[in-house]
Amino acid sequence: MKPQAASKLDKPGSNLTGFIFLNISQFFGAANDNLLKQVIVFGVAAGGIWANVMGEGAQAYVSLCLAVPFVVLSGFAGQFSDRYSKRHVAIAVKMLEIVIALVAAYGFVVANVWIVLAAMILISVQSTFFTPAKFGILPEIMDEAHLSRANGTINMFTYIAVILGGAIGGPIYDSYAPDTSWPNAAFPGAILLVVAILGTAATLGVPRLRAQDPKLKIKFDLFGTYIATWREIRRTALQSVIVAWSLFYMIVGGVAILILPDYKSLLGISATRTAMLMALLGICIGVGDYAAGRVSGHRIRPGLIPIGAIGTTVLFFALAVIPLNFAVVLSFLALTGFLAGFVMVPLQTMTQHLASTDQRGQVLGLWSCL
């Protein structure tokens, strides 16, 4: 696979309407994933209706159920986005989301955590197949001049959807948990179903796209696909971009996951205020993504990466030495999230642009796994 040359395209070719529909579909999908996850987390937590069913550590198991399919299946999923039209793949997996919402709805009606958890695993698998398709669609419907801004915008709305989905999950659980009898038991599933239908309908607005590698033979080789794709991009600029992405995401995501819950005891604050820190970090990452896209203008700007990387590094060190004051920590986390966007958008855009059209789905599958 030969990466495409990084040249500026002069001819306008962006499909704004298609991008809007893709953005809407992604927004509802991300919201549904996190809404379902949050309701289950509340249900299995101490004092939840399913706390005695799964025992201690159940919240971590729920998070793993959402994450593991991305690690295991992303490479396999990426092949479908190269073999078939990415629009067809997106529509197919979004239709599956409707079926999965019905499974979850049944689980809520019978108050069976295992059925609801199975639905969450299935919705994670569905998202795994949707990810290389949605990010692969962007360079097919947006020219290079608009690609950075498109990535910044879709990332911003994704983070907003994640936060809203988690936030709405609390009230939905509170309305469900006191009384799991009919018709109250149908409420969580009904919300999931409506969101899934709206997301699927939006996907139909994505323009028709041809398959980039219709002769590709799909191999059910979960990890071999990653190895083969890595060999294809070895010693290219694309390899450096993906390594940089995985290291940055691991450090920022890992550190955030590790330190944010500790602020509850360090600052002596409530769980609600701790959740506020997490929400603000997510919002600011989304705003930073959008800002990076706007600053990039009609170009891909790798020069933004050092600004974001150095800035987030300095701020993480600062968080270790600043006074343990809620307002101060809140401000530093907000700035950290904002600057993270200046790393994420250029790396994401470069991955889409450098990957050859016939293997973009597999490259994005590797990128998604890492």
Side-chain angles (χ1 to χ4, degrees), residues 70-206:
F70 279 94
V71 176
V72 177
L73 296 173
S74 288
F76 178 61
Q79 296 179 77
F80 286 83
S81 291
D82 291 328
R83 171 65 176 81
Y84 303 103
S85 162
K86 293 178 180 62
R87 178 182 186 268
H88 292 164
V89 173
I91 291 172
V93 296
K94 292 301 288 185
M95 286 183 173
L96 283 175
E97 187 179 336
I98 296 176
V99 177
I100 296 166
L102 290 171
V103 174
Y106 175 73
F108 282 118
V109 168
V110 298
N112 187 310
V113 65
W114 302 111
I115 295 176
V116 179
L117 192 62
M120 199 192 73
I121 294 172
L122 290 174
I123 209 167
S124 179
V125 171
Q126 176 263 339
S127 295
T128 303
F129 279 80
F130 186 55
T131 295
K134 74 186 177 193
F135 284 121
I137 285 171
L138 278 180
E140 292 186 27
I141 65 174
M142 307 295 288
D143 63 27
E144 183 188 340
H146 298 135
L147 192 55
S148 291
R149 284 184 287 181
N151 276 298
T153 301
I154 201 167
N155 284 354
M156 178 184 69
F157 281 105
T158 298
Y159 280 105
I160 292 173
V162 168
I163 292 163
L164 284 178
I168 295 171
I172 289 177
Y173 174 78
D174 286 339
S175 68
Y176 168 74
D179 181 10
T180 58
S181 61
W182 185 267
N184 194 59
F187 182 61
I191 297 296
L192 291 169
L193 183 60
V194 169
V195 174
I197 291 172
L198 290 173
T200 303
T203 311
L204 298 176
V206 175

Side-chain angles (χ1 to χ4, degrees), residues 231-244:
R231 286 174 177 169
E232 289 285 345
I233 66 172
R234 190 171 50 187
R235 297 189 182 92
T236 67
L238 185 56
Q239 181 190 45
S240 300
V241 170
I242 290 181
V243 169

Side-chain angles (χ1 to χ4, degrees), residues 60-370:
Y61 300 148
V62 172
S63 296
L64 279 174
C65 288
L66 194 61
V68 168
F70 279 94
V71 176
V72 177
L73 296 173
S74 288
F76 178 61
Q79 296 179 77
F80 286 83
S81 291
D82 291 328
R83 171 65 176 81
Y84 303 103
S85 162
K86 293 178 180 62
R87 178 182 186 268
H88 292 164
V89 173
I91 291 172
V93 296
K94 292 301 288 185
M95 286 183 173
L96 283 175
E97 187 179 336
I98 296 176
V99 177
I100 296 166
L102 290 171
V103 174
Y106 175 73
F108 282 118
V109 168
V110 298
N112 187 310
V113 65
W114 302 111
I115 295 176
V116 179
L117 192 62
M120 199 192 73
I121 294 172
L122 290 174
I123 209 167
S124 179
V125 171
Q126 176 263 339
S127 295
T128 303
F129 279 80
F130 186 55
T131 295
K134 74 186 177 193
F135 284 121
I137 285 171
L138 278 180
E140 292 186 27
I141 65 174
M142 307 295 288
D143 63 27
E144 183 188 340
H146 298 135
L147 192 55
S148 291
R149 284 184 287 181
N151 276 298
T153 301
I154 201 167
N155 284 354
M156 178 184 69
F157 281 105
T158 298
Y159 280 105
I160 292 173
V162 168
I163 292 163
L164 284 178
I168 295 171
I172 289 177
Y173 174 78
D174 286 339
S175 68
Y176 168 74
D179 181 10
T180 58
S181 61
W182 185 267
N184 194 59
F187 182 61
I191 297 296
L192 291 169
L193 183 60
V194 169
V195 174
I197 291 172
L198 290 173
T200 303
T203 311
L204 298 176
V206 175
R208 296 183 181 276
L209 302 168
R210 65 181 180 85
Q212 296 297 330
D213 190 5
K215 295 182 180 180
L216 174 68
K217 293 183 179 179
I218 294 176
K219 300 176 181 178
F220 192 76
D221 188 352
L222 302 181
F223 297 104
T225 305
Y226 295 135
I227 296 171
T229 303
W230 182 257
R231 286 174 177 169
E232 289 285 345
I233 66 172
R234 190 171 50 187
R235 297 189 182 92
T236 67
L238 185 56
Q239 181 190 45
S240 300
V241 170
I242 290 181
V243 169
W245 167 266
S246 62
L247 288 174
F248 182 79
Y249 201 81
M250 178 180 66
I251 293 169
V252 173
V255 170
I257 291 171
L258 286 173
I259 68 171
L260 285 180
D262 290 337
Y263 276 120
K264 182 178 184 296
S265 58
L266 289 172
L267 296 173
I269 57 178
S270 64
T272 299
R273 298 189 83 186
T274 306
M276 188 186 300
L277 293 176
M278 298 179 183
L280 183 71
L281 179 64
I283 290 171
C284 289
I285 291 175
V287 173
D289 283 343
Y290 181 77
R294 299 300 299 180
V295 170
S296 298
H298 297 298
R299 298 172 58 190
I300 300 172
R301 294 186 181 272
L304 295 177
I305 297 173
I307 298 173
I310 294 171
T312 52
T313 301
V314 171
L315 286 164
F316 272 131
F317 277 108
L319 282 166
V321 298
I322 60 174
L324 288 175
N325 177 275
F326 180 77
V328 175
V329 171
L330 194 73
S331 301
F332 274 65
L333 279 175
L335 188 55
T336 302
F338 180 80
L339 288 174
F342 282 69
V343 179
M344 297 169 68
V345 167
L347 288 177
Q348 183 173 308
T349 308
M350 290 166 68
T351 301
Q352 294 165 329
H353 177 65
L354 291 172
S356 64
T357 55
D358 61 335
Q359 283 193 307
R360 185 174 285 136
Q362 293 164 82
V363 170
L364 290 169
L366 175 64
W367 169 81
S368 179
C369 165
L370 297 174

Side-chain angles (χ1 to χ4, degrees), residues 16-26 199 201-207:
L16 180 59
T17 302
F19 171 69
I20 291 172
F21 279 114
L22 179 64
N23 210 353
I24 293 171
S25 180
Q26 162 63 8
T203 311
L204 298 176
V206 175

